[in-house]
Amino acid sequence: MNELIQALELVQKQTGIEKEVIFEAIESSMLTACKKNFGTSDNITVTMDRTTGDIHVVAQKTVVAEVMDPAIEISLIDAVRIDSAYQLDDVCQVEVTPKNFGRIAAQNAKQIVIQKIHEAERGILYNEYKSKEREMVSGLIQRKERGNVYLNLDDKLEAVLAPKEQIQGEEYPMNRRLKVYVLEVRETPRNTVVYVSRTHPEFIKRLFEQEVPEIHDGIVTIKSIAREAGSRSKVAVYSRDPMVDPLGSCVGPNGNRVNTIVKELGGEKMDIVVWRDEPAKFIQEALNPAEVVRVDVDKEGMTATVIVPDHQLSLAIGKEGQNARLAARLTGYKIDIKSETQASQEDDDDEFEFEFEFEDDEETEE
């Protein structure tokens, strides 16, 4: 069994598994095997010599004058032959290692070592990818099943891209390398599963960090993101350095940086706006590309009324309200958009109501 000891030392170096962990696992396995194959009672222990690898099965038996149950009792005469110090009622350690037990031990030890190596590898992979939660990774599409897309991550783990995490209308051909955002890494009894997304707003942030050095270095920061995956996203950016233009950094020379991101997302439109500390200015930025005449903000109620030129109303609201909806998510404000004509009419109506009430008060006084 010396070969086993050498193998355990090698396993410890390569996987970091302590030999003692494997020794204890082997002993537990051998105890089960001993009871299964030889019908030994519950008063036994199995120990493995840490130096030689030899297996010993030892039974604990009470020293008695007359043996009634040989499985748990031993005569004083037999006990003294083992150790002259034994007396009546002592518990005697009796070796009962079955014949051919070494062969069974070797087989079990091999299985335990293989099992522990697999567990260690799984643990290493789990820890490696657990640290990548909320980060971006890439993998090869290897199969599709029940709407799920399965990716091979570095020939190590399988990632699951569920239907709700897929960009609507995006194609997923086999063997395509795909960038994804790691939502969760979960350890199951069988393996480690990585759940990923292409629709999460943070996926946009990771793409910008990869493509824009100023964001990667922390000079430009992404303050907020509003996204309708596959259709349009709005990204609010801010520069810590007044000499660095956040918009220019994100767009890149000839638009190459943002175009790379848009291409990765299958043509998803990307609005990059400057984050402002003042809510009214930020809301104005968020409604780009529409022009804004005025923004009235209620900070306590987190609401805002936005006035735009008549010809800009449809652009400010966007198709099916998308532009206004994304601007609201980006800023955190509930936004009510009105044209100048609508705002003027409402002002006239308010003035008329006020004058009517004023005149009515005068008649009452008379």
Side-chain angles (χ1 to χ4, degrees):
M1 297 286 280
N2 280 318
E3 292 180 0
L4 175 62
I5 302 299
Q6 294 173 0
L8 295 187
E9 291 175 351
L10 182 61
V11 168
Q12 179 171 317
K13 290 179 181 178
Q14 294 180 342
T15 67
I17 307 174
E18 293 295 332
K19 285 192 296 182
E20 186 60 29
V21 172
I22 301 180
F23 279 131
E24 291 174 359
I26 292 173
E27 289 171 344
S28 176
S29 174
M30 293 310 303
L31 180 61
T32 302
C34 188
K35 293 178 180 180
K36 179 180 178 181
N37 292 283
F38 301 99
T40 308
S41 61
D42 292 335
N43 64 323
I44 66 166
T45 58
V46 177
T47 58
M48 185 175 187
D49 191 293
R50 273 38 175 178
T51 304
T52 65
D54 292 338
I55 297 287
H56 299 280
V57 182
V58 177
Q60 293 184 336
K61 297 186 178 184
T62 303
V63 179
V64 295
E66 183 179 355
V67 176
M68 303 297 291
D69 186 350
I72 60 173
E73 295 175 338
I74 185 172
S75 68
L76 178 59
I77 295 174
D78 289 338
V80 169
R81 288 173 182 167
I82 297 172
D83 190 330
S84 59
Y86 281 126
Q87 298 179 11
L88 288 175
D89 297 327
D90 285 347
V91 176
C92 178
Q93 306 293 324
V94 183
E95 182 163 355
V96 292
T97 307
K99 293 180 179 180
N100 300 323
F101 199 57
R103 178 178 55 82
I104 297 174
Q107 292 174 347
N108 276 31
K110 181 179 179 181
Q111 293 173 355
I112 291 293
V113 171
I114 293 173
Q115 177 187 338
K116 288 298 179 181
I117 290 174
H118 287 166
E119 289 177 0
E121 290 174 343
R122 280 178 51 194
I124 291 170
L125 283 176
Y126 173 78
N127 292 331
E128 177 186 346
Y129 280 89
K130 188 68 176 177
S131 67
K132 293 181 180 179
E133 281 185 346
R134 298 178 59 82
E135 297 297 333
M136 185 172 66
V137 299
S138 67
L140 286 176
I141 298 174
Q142 60 180 9
R143 63 189 175 94
K144 302 174 189 176
E145 186 177 312
R146 297 180 181 178
N148 293 320
V149 175
Y150 294 87
L151 291 83
N152 186 319
L153 302 179
D154 303 323
D155 294 324
K156 296 179 179 179
L157 285 180
E158 188 173 70
V160 182
L161 183 65
K164 67 178 182 178
E165 305 299 339
Q166 299 170 18
I167 297 176
Q168 189 174 4
E170 188 172 45
E171 297 293 329
Y172 299 107
M174 299 294 289
N175 295 318
R176 173 188 169 187
R177 180 159 289 279
L178 201 65
K179 292 178 181 178
V180 289
Y181 177 80
V182 180
L183 291 174
E184 180 186 7
V185 179
R186 190 182 302 169
E187 193 169 30
T188 70
R190 293 177 57 189
N191 55 10
T192 297
V193 183
V194 182
Y195 295 93
V196 297
S197 174
R198 294 267 296 170
T199 61
H200 199 285
E202 286 287 309
F203 182 46
I204 299 287
K205 185 175 183 179
R206 299 296 175 244
L207 289 171
F208 270 97
E209 288 173 347
Q210 185 179 69
E211 296 298 328
V212 182
E214 291 85 350
I215 291 180
H216 181 272
D217 295 339
I219 300 171
V220 174
T221 59
I222 294 178
K223 287 288 191 176
S224 60
I225 299 171
R227 186 183 185 199
E228 293 187 357
S231 179
R232 193 181 204 98
S233 289
K234 285 182 179 287
V235 182
V237 295
Y238 169 78
S239 176
R240 299 177 184 274
D241 186 342
M243 301 298 292
V244 176
D245 174 21
L247 287 183
S249 298
C250 294
V251 173
N254 299 317
N256 63 344
R257 291 176 179 175
V258 71
N259 286 341
T260 299
I261 295 172
V262 169
K263 184 178 179 181
E264 173 63 34
L265 297 174
E268 183 174 317
K269 293 182 177 62
M270 194 71 54
D271 296 337
I272 305 173
V273 303
V274 177
W275 179 84
R276 305 289 187 184
D277 186 47
E278 176 57 43
K281 292 181 180 179
F282 186 26
I283 291 169
Q284 182 176 345
E285 292 281 353
L287 285 168
N288 276 333
E291 298 175 14
V292 174
V293 175
R294 189 177 80 247
V295 179
D296 298 325
V297 174
D298 176 5
K299 292 184 179 180
E300 290 186 2
M302 294 296 288
T303 61
T305 300
V306 179
I307 312 301
V308 300
D310 290 8
H311 68 283
Q312 292 282 302
L313 182 61
S314 60
L315 181 63
I317 295 173
K319 186 178 180 181
E320 299 179 350
Q322 186 183 64
N323 194 57
R325 188 166 57 248
L326 288 174
R329 292 179 192 168
L330 192 72
T331 61
Y333 276 77
K334 182 179 179 180
I335 300 174
D336 182 21
I337 303 175
K338 300 177 181 179
S339 67
E340 287 184 294
T341 298
Q342 289 173 331
S344 178
Q345 288 175 345
E346 290 181 3
D347 289 343
D348 290 343
D349 291 343
D350 291 342
E351 184 178 349
F352 175 76
E353 290 176 4
F354 173 77
E355 290 176 353
F356 177 82
E357 291 171 359
F358 181 75
E359 291 173 358
D360 185 55
D361 288 343
E362 285 188 333
E363 290 177 2
T364 302
E365 289 177 1
E366 290 178 359

